[in-house]
Amino acid sequence: MKVGVSLEDDKRRSRLIRDEIGYDNLLMMDANQCWDVQKAIDWMKELAIFKPLWIEEPTSPDDVLGHAQIAKVLNPLGIGIATGEHCQNRVVFKQFLQANALQYCQIDCCRLGGVNEIVAVYIMAAKFGVPVCPHAGGVGLCEHVQHLSIFDYICVSGSLENRYLEYAEHLHEHMTYPATVKKGYYLVPKDLGHSTEMQEDSLRDHEYPNGPVWQKLFDEGTFQRD
């Protein structure tokens, strides 16, 4: 759940969610970098009664030592730190891991510099005993990261424990080989490649500025033609 705008509303919504799912199911929170370090600590102390598994991006994604300070206070309360979707390279992840600043490593396969950089992060995370939970949800991102989690299970960690892979139910209709999720699990793709190929019709329809989708937006006045 998203948190960080109103503490009282966060408490209200957390209570509603826990009433619905109970305390045997997992609850994760995401602040989208909206706090400074001390505010993140103070805010999450208030929400600790709802037993979140993690707080995601509690502060600036570049503040390694800030995340470490937050983790030092929140980990004893049972709250892990999840971050990494805005980390650009393995060196930043190395610093996060060395500082014990994250307990859930959230790589973004489109932000990191290719598969080799991603593999390096997986290997470092395994060395530090930190599960990798890839960020997903954008156009083709769910399709892409499923391969990384499969690689992690087969070649690196050999475990599904504490490993979670995001899934957003939108825009898959534009993909040639859309990801398939059944009963909360990704199904292993049967097609070759990274599953990130987009359908020709979607590319044509959304081509700027001549595609029919853009032409309709221009005609409706949503955007102006150049």
Side-chain angles (χ1 to χ4, degrees), residues 88-125:
Q88 311 92 330
N89 58 65
R90 66 187 185 276
V91 176
V92 178
F93 277 108
K94 174 178 71 75
Q95 294 173 351
F96 268 103
L97 292 164
Q98 287 177 325
N100 194 32
L102 54 75
Q103 286 69 55
Y104 298 91
C105 178
Q106 295 180 309
I107 61 169
D108 185 295
C109 63
C110 292
R111 194 175 301 274
L112 281 167
V115 174
N116 287 344
E117 197 84 356
I118 291 168
V119 170
V121 175
Y122 268 105
I123 293 172
M124 287 191 296

Side-chain angles (χ1 to χ4, degrees), residues 205-216:
D205 291 348
H206 291 81
E207 182 184 12
Y208 180 84
N210 299 317
V213 172
W214 282 102
Q215 291 300 310
K216 181 180 179 182

Side-chain angles (χ1 to χ4, degrees), residues 180-187:
T180 303
V181 172
K182 187 174 182 180
K183 295 183 178 180
Y185 289 89
Y186 278 79
L187 301 186

